[in-house]
Amino acid sequence: MDVTGKIIGRGAEAILYLNDNGVLVKNRIKKNYRIEEIDTILRRLRTRHEARILTRAKRVGVNTPSVIDVREYEIFMEFIDGKLLKEVLNSTNSSKRREFAREIGKMIGKLHSAGIIHGDLTTSNMILKDDKIYFIDFGLALHSTSVEDRAVDLYLLHQAYQSTHFRYVKELWRNTEKGYMETFKDWDVVLKRIEQISKRGRYAKR
Amino acid sequence: MICLGIESTAHTFGIGIVSDKGEILANARDTYKPKLGFGIIPQEAKQHHEMVKEDVLQRALSEAGIRLDEIDLISFSQGPGLPPCLWTGLEFAKKLSKENKKPLIGVNHPIGHIEIGRLTTGARDPVILYVSGGNTQVIAFASGRYRVFGETEDMAIGNALDTFARRVGLPHPGGPEIERLAKRGKYIKLPYVVKGMDLSFSGIITAAEKLFKSGEKLEDICFSLQETCFSMLTEITERAMAHTGKDEVLLAGGVAANKRLTEMLNTMCKDREAKFYSVPMEYSGDNGAMIAWAGILAYKSGQRTKEFKPLSRWRIDEVDIKWM
């Protein structure tokens, strides 16, 4: 399958292409600052790890792009041709917005139930297509069942609501919590931990 | 306005004299060295500072060629740091302030590192990698404060290198010795621990020590240790740049003296078409000039210290920055 194509995104460690078959290619690029040995080990490991988590997330009922193929440094996946939730959430009508927030909470609950932490939950990492929300970019995802990791995962989303959708923070958060409670049984300890985290300096508003 | 700044958070007792035009008139210091095989003992460091403080003051004054009564402001490193050491600096600053009837202001130590770095390199709004014996943080200015975007979950990089050095019988500080040995080494696999923009060193140090006990060559371990830890630091710095959209990097703190780390950051910046600045040797480690300069910025922006007591856990993101 074709690795090159039109560049549609560039992060700190990867370039995203859309190839001629309409497939999204996430290519972890070589970093010249680190020695070859470390560079290849990391890129291989992370590529495999991300592909595996994407696949597991899909299996537990979270909308994610389907993984089509994995190579040494590339993941080939379904291109979700929708809109970034960040761009549309503020102009959505209120009942839809509440529904979306609840759906987000439900999906996070499913991830956490499966021992997955997304690691970068913001509305720029969610795509809306045909009224369905997809989680993308599992590049920072990890396996963990710790209360702290789960709480931080959710808290970062709260911060994203606050910075990008400040007018609707309360309704978004209330409905995200609702959804989360529906799909994750230990929700109470996690929500309690979020209160503590918000009082610490480390995750104070950035 | 001329400010005399006192630094005493850890090993170094330093006094710097700086004008509000950014001229560094003096930067005198004396550094406590623990016995071979030991880390810093706070009470011993304090005794050291007590012993050298008058001498360091005299050296700073003669270097600047001015008298105490020509100083307009006294600043001191209020934290974070080791409480016994912080007390020495605070009491000395109070005494000088009282005897000469000059205003006194407490300075946040990491802000000193950043501001002397901006002053001496010309960096404007960089992502700062602050690495020293006691600190490892990636910092950037955002909505009114210096915010911590990434940091170590356990030990600081300098402390990690010192700890490893001590366990394998190398002298303190460990960094320079490890760097020297690493020149002749080749890579052995070590854990690599980055979580988002945070990192952790303790597992790596344990693994490196195990390699040493199993008879691997010290040169190879030092090489691998450096390559691993510095790649991690460079990676989180790059992540913070992508996240904040900034295109300058400032390397600050004592570990900035390391050539390999400098080289890695430089390469990363070149590949991103960003600018890389490293604080000159004389001002990268703990020193008084950085406290004097940060004192001027804070004082002139209207900041005043309310309580004169050490703040051993004072975080950089608790301070409003009005001069940026």
Side-chain angles (χ1 to χ4, degrees), chain A residues 39-192:
Chain A
D39 190 65
T40 51
I41 292 174
L42 281 180
R43 284 156 68 213
R44 271 188 207 138
L45 206 76
R46 288 174 178 179
T47 303
R48 250 189 323 205
H49 176 79
E50 185 179 357
R52 210 175 294 153
I53 290 197
L54 265 172
T55 309
R56 271 201 67 208
K58 188 158 205 84
R59 212 161 48 217
V60 299
V62 177
N63 302 328
T64 61
S66 315
V67 174
I68 297 164
D69 194 9
V70 187
R71 292 210 196 140
E72 220 174 357
Y73 309 121
E74 293 106 19
I75 302 175
F76 294 76
M77 59 186 127
E78 177 191 0
F79 176 56
I80 311 289
D81 194 6
K83 286 193 162 149
L84 283 186
L85 192 63
K86 179 186 174 179
E87 313 293 342
V88 292
L89 195 58
N90 288 340
S91 51
T92 306
N93 74 52
S94 175
S95 79
K96 260 278 174 284
R97 193 164 40 236
R98 286 200 298 268
E99 193 189 310
F100 289 158
R102 187 168 181 149
E103 191 51 40
I104 290 169
K106 274 163 98 171
M107 292 209 288
I108 300 172
K110 285 177 188 171
L111 286 178
H112 288 187
S113 301
I116 299 171
I117 305 296
H118 180 280
D120 198 9
L121 286 170
T122 68
T123 48
S124 336
N125 279 335
M126 298 175 192
I127 292 179
L128 183 67
K129 187 195 172 191
D130 302 333
D131 243 19
K132 256 167 81 176
I133 293 171
Y134 290 79
F135 283 3
I136 59 165
D137 197 355
F138 282 67
L140 293 180
L142 53 113
H143 288 287
S144 166
T145 52
S146 95
V147 176
E148 176 77 13
D149 287 342
R150 285 166 171 162
V152 169
D153 207 23
L154 267 172
Y155 187 64
L156 291 179
L157 177 63
H158 184 265
Q159 298 296 88
Y161 284 162
Q162 208 146 43
S163 61
T164 320
H165 313 287
F166 47 89
R167 256 186 285 167
Y168 311 110
V169 181
K170 274 199 184 136
E171 94 178 18
L172 285 171
W173 187 244
R174 209 170 41 236
N175 286 283
T176 300
E177 280 185 332
K178 260 192 222 160
Y180 189 65
M181 290 172 187
E182 284 174 47
T183 54
F184 182 55
K185 66 174 173 42
D186 294 329
W187 57 270
D188 49 340
V189 275
V190 175
L191 296 185
K192 211 169 283 162

Side-chain angles (χ1 to χ4, degrees), chain A residues 11-13 30-35 37-38 41-42 45-46 120 139-140 142 201-206, chain B residues 147-151 187 192 196 198 223 227-228 231 234-235 238-239 242 260 264 267-268 271 317:
Chain A
E13 63 167 352
K30 181 176 160 48
K31 293 289 170 187
N32 294 312
Y33 63 78
R34 57 193 177 204
I35 54 171
E37 293 98 315
I38 293 181
I41 292 174
L42 281 180
L45 206 76
R46 288 174 178 179
D120 198 9
L140 293 180
L142 53 113
R202 175 67 179 86
Y203 289 103
K205 192 168 166 251
R206 287 172 170 174
Chain B
R147 312 272 172 184
V148 178
F149 285 85
E151 64 189 323
Y187 182 67
Y192 183 103
D198 289 339
F223 176 76
E227 292 300 321
T228 303
S231 294
T234 307
E235 178 174 3
E238 184 172 23
R239 272 192 200 286
R260 180 62 182 131
M264 278 195 201
T267 306
M268 182 271 283
D271 287 350
D317 49 20

Side-chain angles (χ1 to χ4, degrees), chain B residues 220-237:
Chain B
D220 294 346
I221 307 171
C222 288
F223 176 76
S224 312
L225 187 62
Q226 277 210 140
E227 292 300 321
T228 303
C229 295
F230 297 167
S231 294
M232 288 163 50
L233 290 168
T234 307
E235 178 174 3
I236 62 165
T237 307

Side-chain angles (χ1 to χ4, degrees), chain B residues 230-286:
Chain B
F230 297 167
S231 294
M232 288 163 50
L233 290 168
T234 307
E235 178 174 3
I236 62 165
T237 307
E238 184 172 23
R239 272 192 200 286
M241 293 173 82
H243 187 78
T244 57
K246 295 188 197 281
D247 59 0
E248 293 173 302
V249 169
L250 177 67
L251 174 61
V255 184
N258 187 291
K259 289 205 179 62
R260 180 62 182 131
L261 178 60
T262 306
E263 183 184 34
M264 278 195 201
L265 289 163
N266 207 356
T267 306
M268 182 271 283
C269 286
K270 219 184 276 165
D271 287 350
R272 292 184 66 85
E273 292 173 12
K275 278 195 184 126
F276 173 66
Y277 301 97
S278 179
V279 183
M281 268 282 244
E282 201 194 338
Y283 306 110
S284 63
D286 292 354

